[in-house]
Amino acid sequence: MNVDNRIQRSGRKKLLLLGESGCGKSALCNALSQHTSHNHNQQRKLFHELSSDDPGLGGKREPANIVNVNILGKEESPVTLIDTVGQDSIDGAKDFAALLQRKGCGRVHIFGIVIDSLARVRPSLIKNISIFEVIFGKGHFWLNAVLILNKSSQTSNDSSDETLLKQFSSGLTKRCQIPHVELNTFILHAKCNNLVDDEQKQFKHAAKQLLNVTFRSSGAHVTSVNSINPTQSNEHGYSYRRLIGVTFVAAAGLAAYHYREKIKGWISNFK
């Protein structure tokens, strides 16, 4: 049985990680699946770093790594991890949606929006998120979205981390026009080279919480691939609404020109 068939028939919950390039999605996937050593460099890596500029094998860039894993290496914690490329263009949305369906990941249970300690609500992240809003539907996406802080150093404390997450979550939901959504947040240390015992415990505790949320979620289904329209995406439908507005103004202008004599008559009657 090939890899795609194993993923399709596993019945595992699907955890998809998204975010800007360089935020540590691949490192986080490796840490979640094989967090068995203080030295991350000694672990066998299941996930290689994905780049939107990398053509991939055979000259075609793969938009995702999809692997069946056991969270923290425990057999009672089976999930399918989906590590995505940090793209900010909707052009490949159809192909990506088709890939998910082909690999048996047409339903995703949790969307983990990964940020690092220097994160800002940048347009590239907004566009990256909009891709998944289009593929899964905006409401369904945010209903199953969580925010994950992937710490890049051990210098910050828990208080500053919580403040960062709170401020980022508020700014993100405002920019994405979903002010009433309150995201679950998680702090993980996947980018730290060496973790002391307390941080090991914190990582495992956060990973278990993330797993529990994933197991409880009913998930979101990929929209029909043929119905995916790129004009629905960038800047969260602004292009689509702008097109409607321009069309309405143009139609009103044509109507006014066509009925200009009648309009002049109405104006004269009012005078």
Side-chain angles (χ1 to χ4, degrees), residues 123-141:
S124 56
L125 176 61
I126 301 299
K127 290 178 180 178
N128 182 238
I129 290 173
S130 73
I131 294 170
F132 296 94
E133 289 183 334
V134 169
I135 293 175
F136 292 92
K138 185 169 183 175
H140 294 296
F141 171 83

Side-chain angles (χ1 to χ4, degrees), residues 112-129:
I113 303 170
V114 182
I115 63 173
D116 59 26
S117 301
L118 302 176
R120 298 292 183 271
V121 184
R122 289 182 277 263
S124 56
L125 176 61
I126 301 299
K127 290 178 180 178
N128 182 238
I129 290 173

Side-chain angles (χ1 to χ4, degrees), residues 134-189:
V134 169
I135 293 175
F136 292 92
K138 185 169 183 175
H140 294 296
F141 171 83
W142 286 107
L143 184 64
N144 298 285
V146 301
L147 187 61
I148 301 173
L149 172 60
N150 191 4
K151 294 183 65 172
S152 57
S153 69
Q154 296 167 289
T155 56
S156 59
N157 55 50
D158 292 339
S159 176
S160 62
D161 291 338
E162 293 291 348
T163 301
L164 169 65
L165 278 170
K166 185 176 181 179
Q167 292 175 346
F168 190 94
S169 179
S170 175
L172 181 64
T173 53
K174 186 179 296 184
R175 284 284 298 275
C176 294
Q177 301 180 332
I178 45 162
H180 302 299
V181 171
E182 186 172 344
L183 297 174
N184 284 329
T185 59
F186 302 89
I187 300 173
L188 296 166
H189 299 64

